[in-house]
Amino acid sequence: MGAEGSEQGCPPSPCLDSDPPGRCRPQKPILLQGHERSITQIKYNREGDLLFTVAKDPIVNVWYSVNGERLGTYTGHTGAVWCVDADWDTKHVLTGSADNSCRLWDCETGKQLALLKTNSAVRTCGFDFGGNIIMFSTDKQMGYQCFVSFFDLRDPSQIDSNEPYMKIPCNADAKITSAVWGPLGECIIAGHENGELNQYSAKSGEVMVNVKEHSRQINDIQTSRDMTMFVTASKDNTAKLFDSTTLEHQKTFRTERPVNSAALSPIYDHVVLGGGQEAMDVTTTSTRIGKFEARFFHLAFEEEFGRVKGHFGPINSVAFHPDGKSYSSGGEDGYVRIHYFDPQYFEFEFEA
């Protein structure tokens, strides 16, 4: 792996004897400075001890989430990296890039295990539940259609010949902008540029369910811990909660700005939203310090109950730690911030 650095920020501040009981000072976020360009995605592994970050530079970083120390880098991409995923037991890492490739890495050594070349940029990628099958979607660009490709990693001939066992074409007018595996690896759930959601069978490739609840592009999809629900983030200024099996729309979280990312808490009925203006509009607004906020909503009541400031540009990706005691956000400013919740968060009771 690449050079180890001591990029960690301040460790969470402890409670002092002088603090009133149950009222610790707000804990300082840990700042991860490992990218030169804006963050595109951040992802915890299943245990949550590692945090993977990718950005519009060719670097793939992995960090210890507990203290923000950089464990290393996966080097090989030659363009912006759009997506990253780790498998169930954190043996392998998958990345997709604008250099027209999807790459498989050995998590521990940083060695590149497979290079899958594509005709256009790889926008989304993911391991299925067992870690044996990968899927990735490519952009519609340079005359090429948008496709979702499926590879079985147990069959080396698929990798060697660069031939997926299944390739699903998307409808011509709307490329896939976000995709995740559904429950039990039976399907993938894909969000499109026009706001549509499709559920594709991982066996036959057919569209099992199609819904259109968003009016504009879906930027991000993240499932709940038990995979029964998922939350979408859209350019239409909303995030929405859906049932993973039926794609039935259940809740809506409204903001005044495009939502770039949304994540569900594994322990509470909370959802965190990250967003902001389009990157090109950012300079035309006020320069109040770090005014780009992560916003917390109650899942059932759809009401906002908290905000966390800090980023100097729109937040592009948010993720809850699998234990629910911290969350991270990655921004257009190129920084990743790990926020540990203070005790008030755990005592908080929502009053409807």
Side-chain angles (χ1 to χ4, degrees):
M1 283 205 192
E4 266 68 312
S6 54
E7 286 86 352
Q8 67 263 47
C10 307
S13 59
C15 297
L16 302 180
D17 296 337
S18 57
D19 289 327
R23 283 282 174 272
C24 297
R25 293 168 305 156
Q27 305 191 344
K28 266 194 178 152
I30 303 174
L31 204 58
L32 310 184
Q33 301 165 268
H35 292 283
E36 298 164 3
R37 298 271 182 277
S38 46
I39 304 297
T40 49
Q41 192 179 24
I42 60 175
K43 182 79 72 78
Y44 284 97
N45 65 341
R46 188 174 56 94
E47 288 85 8
D49 59 324
L50 300 180
L51 180 63
F52 297 88
T53 63
V54 292
K56 289 181 184 171
D57 55 26
I59 307 160
V60 182
N61 282 318
V62 57
W63 315 79
Y64 286 118
S65 64
V66 66
N67 60 2
E69 187 182 336
R70 185 161 71 169
L71 178 60
T73 57
Y74 302 91
T75 45
H77 279 297
T78 55
V81 186
W82 289 116
C83 53
V84 63
D85 195 23
D87 64 2
W88 171 266
D89 49 9
T90 325
K91 273 201 170 70
H92 298 135
V93 180
L94 190 66
T95 53
S97 165
D99 65 10
N100 296 2
S101 77
C102 185
R103 296 175 195 236
L104 182 72
W105 312 85
D106 183 305
C107 179
E108 196 177 345
T109 64
K111 187 171 164 242
Q112 183 178 300
L113 301 175
L115 166 62
L116 303 166
K117 287 198 165 73
T118 56
N119 292 321
S120 55
V122 178
R123 180 68 52 173
T124 66
C125 65
F127 288 98
D128 79 333
F129 201 60
N132 293 317
I133 294 171
I134 60 166
M135 69 86 185
F136 60 83
S137 72
T138 53
D139 277 355
K140 176 187 167 196
Q141 67 189 95
M142 300 181 296
Y144 291 103
Q145 204 182 342
C146 160
F147 283 103
V148 188
S149 301
F150 293 82
F151 283 85
D152 191 327
L153 299 177
R154 292 165 295 192
D155 179 4
S157 65
Q158 289 181 23
I159 308 286
D160 297 340
S161 62
N162 203 10
E163 276 301 316
Y165 74 81
M166 188 165 68
K167 201 170 176 178
I168 309 171
C170 301
N171 63 0
D173 56 332
K175 71 171 189 184
I176 289 179
T177 48
S178 182
V180 292
W181 280 93
L184 304 175
E186 287 170 358
C187 62
I188 67 157
I189 298 158
H192 296 256
E193 204 168 21
N194 62 356
E196 274 186 14
L197 273 174
N198 279 312
Q199 197 184 64
Y200 295 100
S201 163
K203 308 259 187 306
S204 65
E206 64 188 331
V207 176
M208 292 151 68
V209 195
N210 167 274
V211 296
K212 190 171 190 298
E213 293 286 346
H214 284 291
S215 57
R216 296 188 64 194
Q217 174 175 316
I218 294 172
N219 290 323
D220 186 30
I221 301 177
Q222 293 194 36
T223 56
S224 60
R225 185 80 167 137
D226 61 3
M227 308 275 278
T228 56
M229 304 178 293
F230 66 90
V231 64
T232 56
S234 169
K235 266 191 185 168
D236 66 9
N237 300 6
T238 65
K240 292 179 189 269
L241 186 74
F242 293 86
D243 180 277
S244 299
T245 315
T246 63
L247 297 200
E248 184 188 350
H249 171 226
Q250 291 171 338
K251 299 285 176 187
T252 300
F253 312 99
R254 290 188 170 79
T255 69
E256 312 78 57
R257 300 209 175 109
V259 185
N260 294 334
S261 186
L264 296 164
S265 165
I267 56 171
Y268 294 124
D269 287 335
H270 295 169
V271 56
V272 60
L273 274 53
Q277 302 100 312
E278 297 283 339
M280 58 189 176
D281 301 335
V282 169
T283 51
T284 60
T285 56
S286 80
T287 53
R288 198 161 92 243
I289 290 176
K291 75 184 182 74
F292 292 89
E293 298 154 326
R295 305 172 69 158
F296 285 79
F297 284 79
H298 193 281
L299 199 63
F301 305 124
E302 304 177 336
E303 293 219 11
E304 186 178 343
F305 66 84
R307 293 187 184 190
V308 179
K309 290 190 181 70
H311 282 283
F312 288 86
I315 295 171
N316 291 340
S317 185
V318 290
F320 265 102
H321 190 289
D323 70 6
K325 293 177 182 169
S326 61
Y327 83 98
S328 295
S329 54
E332 192 69 26
D333 55 9
Y335 290 112
V336 175
R337 300 169 79 92
I338 301 179
H339 301 260
Y340 279 85
F341 294 117
D342 45 22
Q344 290 103 294
Y345 174 82
F346 303 102
E347 294 157 12
F348 174 68
E349 291 284 329
F350 196 91
E351 289 164 19

